[in-house]
Amino acid sequence: MKIKAKLTLGLWFLFIVILLMGLTGTHYIYKLGKDSKAILKDNYESIEFAKDMMQQFDDISSADVAKAQEATNLFSQRLNQEENNITEIGEKETVDQLRVDFENYKKDPSSSVLANSIRSKLYKISEMNMQALERKNRVAQKTADDAVLYISLLLAICIMACFSFIINFPGYIANPIRQLTESIKEIANRNYGQRLHFKSGDEFGELAIAFNGMAKQLDLYENSNLAQIMFEKKRIETIIDNMTDPTLVLDENNKILFANPSVCAIMGMREDDLLGKSAPDVAIHNDLLRTLLGEQHIGKELKIYADQKESYFIQDVFGVKNEERLLGKVIVLKNITKFHELDEAKTNFIATISHELKTPIASIKMSIKLLDDERVGTVNQEQKQLISNINSDTQRLLKITGELLDLAQTETGNIQLNFRKTEPKMIVDYAYNAVKFMAEQKQLELDVNCSDQLPLVNTDMEKTAWVLVNFLSNAIRYSPEKSKIEIRAEQTNHEVVFSVRDFGKGIEKKYLNRIFERYFKVPGLDKSQSGTGLGLAISKDFIEAQNGRIWAESELGEGSSFAFALPV
Ligand code: ADP
């Protein structure tokens, strides 16, 4: 039954009880009233009449004629009234006899027999009514007793019903609501196993069914979400585990979330000793982690002895963010050992080759000098021209071997500078000539803008030119065909700024501050343009060794501009 129906029924019950009590009360009050009225009218009046007649009867036989007459009239009047108020069995016969006696007595007032008979009749009437009065009084008493009994009975039922209502009803409404509130709190605390057990078929029962349905759906949803999250986590863990680069993932409180096998190997720790631990705590006993957390080595080369060999890494740190805050970071160590070894091999190779070439070239020069000497023998004009060509080529060869040696020097860390006061134009011209042929092949326009009036700079001409050539060969490499490259040298304050601007793809902002790092190459650029990522790093070394500054500016899609400034 529904709560509404139950409430309606309860109220109807109360209404009927009240109605019954009211009706019963009214009924009994009415009945009592009627009884007492009957007593008054039927019997009390008859007794009064009999009493009056008794009093008047004494005066009827009085000597005073007027008084006797008045008494006779009054007696007659009361007798008439009594005749009209016959209520009891036998009363009529008595009153009729009284009337007969009275009429006879009026004719013969001296008859004592009649007088006695009248008195006894009056007494009988009075007695008869008195008895009736008592009987009716008993009936009224019984009515009153019945009224008390029935009304008390109804009252008791009513009190019991109300009492049970008072005791049960608040709980009946409030208990389910309290249980519901508690269950909702449990759901809010993600305890989706919570259920309500209202057995009643009323609105609370329906509420429990709806609530349990909701909790079940939430439970399902939570479980499927959890499964999805676990699946994603597993996938990410697998990816990280399979990354060859050592990778460490920390949360926002620097707690270690993931550590792949490579990072465990170079840290010399087991995964179980890292996961879930606070990174700064682990770092107290682990030098490498301390270095990584310090972040002062980001972008610099790290030499780590691991797996019984020396390896070289570059540290990268990526912040993990959502819209509002930092959620953690990923530390990746890029293994550059292979490049390092290649580089070393290349440096050795360059050093050896350039050294080995120097001797035969020197001897070729010597031979040319001899050939050119008229004392050795005469040569014709054509042969002279050939000798001159060989001479200038040899000169170039010597220069190149010299440069190669320089490169090897910077890479071993000992740059030898050969300062001379140099005209900026000379440097520009030298570089221009060096790349002219390369540019022509791609049909690039080289736009040189360099005044003759620029102040001299104190510099190692060859190394500076090498830097400019490096800028230019990069610009040529990353420029589309038939585009333009601008070469500029101009004075600003106490510096001469050399710059090379191209109109190629440009470099993304986030990579711009890294391109002067060793081995750094912008990811995703044309794969076939396989440089080593060393050119700009060597350029930086060369320029900074001469107290100069070097920088790059670029806008993606609009080209790049590389520049260095040397003090005047
Ligand atoms: P590489 O030998 O690879 O050219 P560099 O040190 O000279 O080495 O250059 C480093 C990286 O900078 C290059 O790999 C390239 O991605 C980027 N870079 C250099 N110059 C340019 C340029 N003019 N335009 C676009 N990217 C450039």
Side-chain angles (χ1 to χ4, degrees), residues 424 451 453-457 488-498 566-568:
S451 149
Q453 314 300 317
L454 288 175
L456 298 183
V457 284
R488 244 170 250 284
E490 53 203 356
Q491 187 181 3
T492 58
N493 297 330
H494 300 291
E495 290 175 327
V496 174
V497 176
F498 297 80
L566 292 174
V568 172

Side-chain angles (χ1 to χ4, degrees), residues 420-431 450 461 465:
R420 258 179 296 149
K421 293 209 166 61
T422 319
E423 274 180 43
K425 184 141 181 48
M426 265 178 70
I427 302 172
V428 172
D429 286 346
Y430 178 92
C450 173
M461 148 82 186

Side-chain angles (χ1 to χ4, degrees), residues 470-479 500-502 504-507 511 514-523 525 529-539 554 559-562:
N470 186 54
F471 280 4
L472 280 167
S473 47
N474 275 347
I476 291 169
R477 209 191 301 176
Y478 299 112
S479 282
V500 173
R501 167 156 182 66
D502 66 63
K505 278 184 203 164
I507 303 164
Y511 299 127
R514 296 197 54 189
I515 51 174
F516 290 103
E517 285 170 15
R518 280 171 173 254
Y519 313 108
F520 182 80
K521 291 186 280 180
V522 173
L525 264 189
Q529 297 172 341
S530 50
T532 55
L534 271 172
L536 289 175
I538 295 173
S539 302
S554 183
S560 328
S561 165
F562 286 83

Side-chain angles (χ1 to χ4, degrees), residues 190-356:
R190 295 171 152 264
N191 180 5
Y192 299 127
Q194 186 69 26
R195 296 285 181 278
L196 281 179
H197 303 285
F198 301 154
K199 287 279 176 311
S200 57
D202 56 15
E203 283 89 339
F204 286 127
E206 284 171 13
L207 185 75
I209 292 169
F211 178 89
N212 293 345
M214 177 196 75
K216 195 174 150 197
Q217 284 302 325
L218 281 173
D219 206 10
L220 271 176
Y221 182 68
E222 170 85 352
N223 281 334
S224 68
N225 261 4
L226 202 68
Q228 182 71 19
I229 290 168
M230 290 306 288
F231 175 72
E232 292 297 336
K233 183 170 175 270
K234 191 86 218 146
R235 181 152 58 188
I236 290 168
E237 276 176 354
T238 314
I239 293 169
I240 293 178
D241 278 355
N242 287 304
M243 273 167 68
T244 44
D245 287 337
T247 306
L248 200 65
V249 182
L250 308 180
D251 72 2
E252 71 267 38
N253 302 317
N254 274 336
K255 204 171 84 180
I256 301 171
L257 293 182
F258 298 120
N260 69 355
S262 314
V263 88
C264 294
I266 64 163
M267 283 173 66
M269 293 188 76
R270 289 187 310 127
E271 193 183 344
D272 291 348
D273 297 334
L274 291 173
L275 293 191
K277 302 271 157 52
S278 153
D281 289 351
V282 178
I284 295 173
H285 307 291
N286 192 295
D287 293 343
L288 176 60
L289 188 57
R290 199 159 49 240
T291 312
L292 295 183
L293 290 180
E295 296 194 356
Q296 64 268 55
H297 285 84
I298 294 177
K300 293 197 189 126
E301 211 175 285
L302 269 173
K303 189 159 131 187
I304 297 169
Y305 191 82
D307 269 350
Q308 276 127 26
K309 67 172 173 62
E310 271 178 356
S311 299
Y312 294 86
F313 294 91
I314 286 197
Q315 182 187 358
D316 258 337
V317 177
F318 308 102
V320 182
K321 291 181 197 142
N322 66 3
E323 292 87 44
E324 300 120 42
R325 61 194 186 100
L326 195 72
L327 299 175
K329 58 184 172 185
V330 182
I331 301 176
V332 181
L333 289 176
K334 226 181 281 167
N335 195 335
I336 52 158
T337 315
K338 217 151 79 201
F339 292 112
H340 215 271
E341 286 165 358
L342 275 176
D343 188 37
E344 221 166 277
K346 184 200 74 186
T347 310
N348 290 338
F349 177 72
I350 292 171
T352 320
I353 290 284
S354 45
H355 185 76
E356 292 298 317

Side-chain angles (χ1 to χ4, degrees), residues 41-110:
K41 178 151 182 3
D42 299 356
N43 307 108
Y44 184 74
E45 278 183 357
S46 294
I47 294 168
E48 280 295 302
F49 296 152
K51 204 173 106 197
D52 273 5
M53 280 189 275
M54 196 74 93
Q55 273 170 7
Q56 300 307 326
F57 188 68
D58 289 342
D59 291 343
I60 287 176
S61 50
S62 162
D64 185 345
V65 180
K67 194 175 174 189
Q69 188 56 45
E70 192 192 349
T72 310
N73 288 346
L74 252 170
F75 189 98
S76 177
Q77 192 184 344
R78 288 286 178 263
L79 184 57
N80 282 342
Q81 283 174 321
E82 171 55 27
E83 277 170 343
N84 290 325
N85 193 24
I86 305 292
T87 51
E88 305 308 318
I89 302 162
E91 193 178 1
K92 185 172 169 28
E93 290 77 29
T94 317
V95 173
D96 285 349
Q97 283 167 15
L98 180 66
R99 166 64 69 187
V100 173
D101 287 354
F102 179 59
E103 292 305 326
N104 292 332
Y105 184 73
K106 274 200 286 188
K107 287 172 200 154
D108 179 15
S110 57

